[in-house]
Amino acid sequence: MAKVNSKPYQREISNTRWYWRNETYMRYIARELTCVFIGIYTVVLLVGIWRLSQGQVAYETFLQALRSPMSIVFHLVALAFSVYHSVTWFNLTPKALPIQIGEQFVADRVIIGAHYLGWAVVSVVFIFLAGVF
Amino acid sequence: MAKSNKPIVWGPFAAGGTVTAFVTPVLILLTLLAALGHVPDGLTYEGMHGFASHWLAKLAIFAVITLSLWSSAHRLRSTFFDFGLRRDKQIATIVYFMAIIGALASLMFLYCI
């Protein structure tokens, strides 16, 4: 084997900070990180169901625990990330579910718009069923 | 044709991504109200217990929790990879295992309500 005199190429990009270089990467990593907040929030829901199964006192202790400042901050951050997940998810639906009618494809904005409308309806129905108003 | 477990993993991810896109923001909004001290009627013990006693509600809660956990686990797996943790097989095993544990736990809690 010939002696290689050159220095091996060193990749100068950090594994943990590569996405700072570019706005597109930043948006990508923000989208991917939504899973951390949605995942943790689902565990909060799971704890809620667990406490509910243990009876009134346990469930009301859970509701009381939700009122801690850390929980409020978590809710606000998780709300922002979950909305970002919804927006990015719905904006990709024309690529995931292209609809063809005859020769024509349904316009992207129609498919996206239908999802946003569905999202609004679901949200209002949940708020109504939960007895907020 | 090459055998792949990708559809089995990816199917619930897509379903979970869709479910969380539709319901997670409003659920967070509702528990945020509770966190701020304005517990909606439906989230009081009587309200939640009444709701979660019905089998259809149990099914819905189970579906939301399981699909959310699975899609979060799947995305977390690829996020670990993006952050330079390249031991994908071990990470995949851990995150999917945790999602399955959570799903089974929800099944048990719902059964007890």
Side-chain angles (χ1 to χ4, degrees), chain B residues 15-16 19 57-70 106 110:
Chain B
V19 166
K58 286 183 206 275
L59 189 68
I61 295 169
F62 173 71
V64 168
I65 288 181
T66 301
L67 292 174
S68 300
L69 287 177
W70 189 270
S106 78
L110 288 165

Side-chain angles (χ1 to χ4, degrees), chain B residues 18-60:
Chain B
T18 306
V19 166
T20 53
F22 278 111
V23 306
T24 307
V26 69
L27 290 177
I28 296 179
L29 200 65
L30 291 172
T31 52
L32 177 63
L33 281 175
L36 294 172
H38 306 281
V39 182
D41 290 345
L43 262 64
T44 59
Y45 177 75
E46 292 77 14
M48 266 316 278
H49 194 266
F51 171 71
S53 295
H54 197 280
W55 67 269
L56 202 61
K58 286 183 206 275
L59 189 68

